[in-house]
Amino acid sequence: MSEADSLLEFPCQFAIKAMGKSRDDFDAIVVEIVRRHVEDIREGAVTSRPSKGGNYTAVTVVIEATSRSQLDAIYLDLTACPDVLMAL
């Protein structure tokens, strides 16, 4: 899919969500991966929420996405991480 075929208009605000087993540093792991591709993660852009049973954690990072290729690279890195079970 090319940039022209994308339904998104860049730059835009985009929420990246990653889920994994609950651990103290899971949000830091997700932020470190996203930070490889995003210059500035704003204050308050990262939220995390435990699952009902507390076994899993969902981390959401809102970024200023600049291109489809940037988003693709973030998702490739997130899904390559063994601590991330799912990225949306």
Side-chain angles (χ1 to χ4, degrees), residues 19-88:
M19 288 167 259
K21 292 246 184 200
S22 290
R23 50 185 281 180
D24 292 338
D25 62 345
F26 183 67
D27 53 347
I29 291 168
V30 172
V31 169
E32 188 274 324
I33 292 170
V34 173
R35 200 177 296 270
R36 293 178 199 165
H37 306 279
V38 179
E39 288 183 25
D40 183 33
I41 297 177
R42 300 175 197 263
E43 177 105 15
V46 180
T47 57
S48 62
R49 194 182 82 192
S51 65
K52 189 173 182 176
N55 295 324
Y56 300 94
T57 299
V59 176
T60 302
V61 183
V62 178
I63 65 165
E64 180 80 16
T66 58
S67 68
R68 177 67 187 208
S69 59
Q70 177 194 39
L71 294 175
D72 290 345
I74 292 169
Y75 283 112
L76 281 173
D77 280 358
L78 284 171
T79 56
C81 178
D83 296 313
V84 175
L85 300 176
M86 184 185 309
L88 305 169

Side-chain angles (χ1 to χ4, degrees), residues 4-29:
D5 296 334
S6 177
L7 296 176
L8 299 172
E9 287 188 32
F10 296 99
C12 66
Q13 294 289 304
F14 194 86
I16 296 169
K17 186 175 283 192
M19 288 167 259
K21 292 246 184 200
S22 290
R23 50 185 281 180
D24 292 338
D25 62 345
F26 183 67
D27 53 347
I29 291 168

